Amino acid sequence: MNDSPAERRAGTGAASAPRPQHDPAIPGKTEKTGEVGEDAERGCLITRLAELQRSMGRFFARDRSMPLLASTLTMQQLKVVMFLSFAGSTSGQELARHLGVGLATVTGIVDRVVAQGLASRHEDPHDRRVRRVELTEAGRRLTSEIIEAGTGGYIRLLRRLDTETLRTMETVMRRIEDVMREMHAEDAGPPDPSA
């Protein structure tokens, strides 16, 4: 009987015994040698890890969605609020570039975020012609709730793991954080000399 990939992962199908050495689910594996090319293995690992990440996302979605469901922000307003939470004080032009819209559109979005008490405008201390936008205390509280939502469930899950697994996870997560910083620096590009 052929089990689905989900049944094989869960071990619920008829063939729940360990997988044989020849695994047709892994591209690039040859029947003669039983070896996998590194690229093919990496591709399979990345696919499986992405699926595990999606599965975890679904598991924690209930907790994470609560602050979002309670909010009356539109998607564009939420993008502005979240961008401000990471970037801090920023100009309308920077927001427009980040959102990929015109300055007039950003002005309208920011007007509505300011009206909700989540952000404020003030003059740039270095250039009085520039108005900067930053989160208010209420805006910081909302973004903190959104970012932190689901943490309680995640901690409960981590407490069920043994210490050695937690050590391994910490090592892996620190490496992932390093790569995320590298990617962020690459995406940001070189500093703007006119800034």
Side-chain angles (χ1 to χ4, degrees):
M1 174 185 278
N2 290 332
D3 297 326
S4 72
E7 288 173 324
R8 284 196 300 270
R9 280 194 303 275
T12 58
S16 58
R19 286 184 178 204
Q21 286 296 328
H22 170 64
D23 187 352
I26 301 177
K29 190 165 193 174
T30 62
E31 288 185 337
K32 283 184 180 179
T33 63
E35 293 176 358
V36 178
E38 186 175 345
D39 288 345
E41 182 182 11
R42 285 175 57 82
C44 289
L45 286 167
I46 288 168
T47 300
R48 291 197 298 264
L49 288 168
E51 181 53 40
L52 287 167
Q53 183 67 39
R54 281 191 291 275
S55 177
M56 285 181 64
R58 289 189 292 270
F59 181 78
F60 294 117
R62 282 189 316 250
D63 294 338
R64 286 197 181 113
S65 63
M66 292 313 292
L68 292 173
L69 293 174
S71 166
T72 58
L73 295 173
T74 66
M75 183 57 73
Q76 289 289 68
Q77 292 166 6
L78 179 63
K79 286 180 183 177
V80 166
V81 168
M82 295 310 294
F83 180 74
L84 291 173
S85 76
F86 297 114
S89 174
T90 189
S91 69
Q93 288 184 338
E94 289 170 302
L95 274 173
R97 269 197 308 272
H98 173 73
L99 294 176
V101 298
L103 189 55
T105 302
V106 163
T107 300
I109 296 168
V110 170
D111 285 344
R112 290 185 284 281
V113 173
V114 168
Q116 293 186 57
L118 299 174
S120 63
R121 288 188 175 100
H122 59 86
E123 281 183 358
D124 187 315
H126 305 294
D127 185 347
R128 297 179 68 180
R129 296 168 300 173
V130 176
R131 303 274 289 164
R132 298 193 73 77
V133 184
E134 65 183 332
L135 291 179
T136 61
E137 182 56 39
R140 285 190 290 276
R141 200 166 43 247
L142 174 64
T143 56
S144 177
E145 287 171 7
I146 291 169
I147 292 166
E148 296 299 322
T151 301
Y154 186 57
I155 289 171
R156 279 190 2 253
L157 184 151
L158 292 176
R159 284 188 175 136
R160 291 173 176 245
L161 299 175
D162 61 90
T163 305
E164 189 56 37
T165 301
L166 291 171
R167 285 190 192 112
T168 302
M169 280 186 70
E170 182 186 21
T171 302
V172 171
M173 295 301 286
R174 287 194 186 281
R175 179 63 187 127
I176 289 171
E177 185 181 39
D178 291 343
V179 173
M180 282 177 9
R181 284 199 182 102
E182 291 167 13
M183 289 172 66
H184 178 71
E186 288 169 8
D187 292 345
D192 184 356
S194 64

